Amino acid sequence: MPRITRRRTIAAPLDEVWELVSDPYSLPRWWPRTTRVENVEGEGAGGQWTKVLETAEGRGVRADHRCLDSVEGERYSWEQLLEGTPFARHLRSSAIEIRLRDEDGATEISLASSEALRGMSRFGSPMLRRAQKARLDEALDGIERALT
């Protein structure tokens, strides 16, 4: 499963970054193409939510997620729930991991994306890696905009 990681140091205190990235309702402020979040149930590991993403054509697409791991001020990860969705035709798995580290009042943010393609979609893996890099860079830009 290809894992793509992007890092950036942002001039914002770690607790503010944590508050933003660990709250599913904040995803529209920083995660690419997310227009809203619905059906948030629970907090931390095991919590679930639905992101509504906007396609290039302007339609809304729903994607369900579950928090896999949450260590306050340190890391937060989630996976997309694929079974029974249109995404399952192309993806075997999709997960995001966020790691934070204090840098003298600023915060180093590491975003990692792990996605595995299914069936014939596997031949698109170079395009997938480029898309993962672009999405993570957009997410880091969004975090920076939201906090500075």
Side-chain angles (χ1 to χ4, degrees), residues 3 17 19 21 24 30 32 38 52 59 65 70 72-73 94-95 98-99 103-105 125 147-148:
R3 181 178 172 95
V17 177
E19 189 176 319
V21 301
W30 66 276
E38 304 172 340
V52 179
R59 290 184 320 225
H65 296 81
S70 177
E72 187 170 346
S94 177
I98 304 164
R99 290 191 171 266
E103 289 285 326
D104 296 322
S125 62
L147 295 174
T148 56

Side-chain angles (χ1 to χ4, degrees), residues 43-68:
E43 291 183 12
Q48 295 187 24
W49 63 90
T50 299
K51 284 193 303 193
V52 179
L53 305 165
E54 186 173 312
T55 67
E57 297 81 29
R59 290 184 320 225
V61 176
R62 301 169 66 82
D64 296 323
H65 296 81
R66 172 180 46 224
C67 178
L68 295 172

Side-chain angles (χ1 to χ4, degrees), residues 18 51 55-56 77 82 91 112 139 147:
W18 173 256
K51 284 193 303 193
T55 67
S77 63
L82 299 167
L91 288 172
L147 295 174

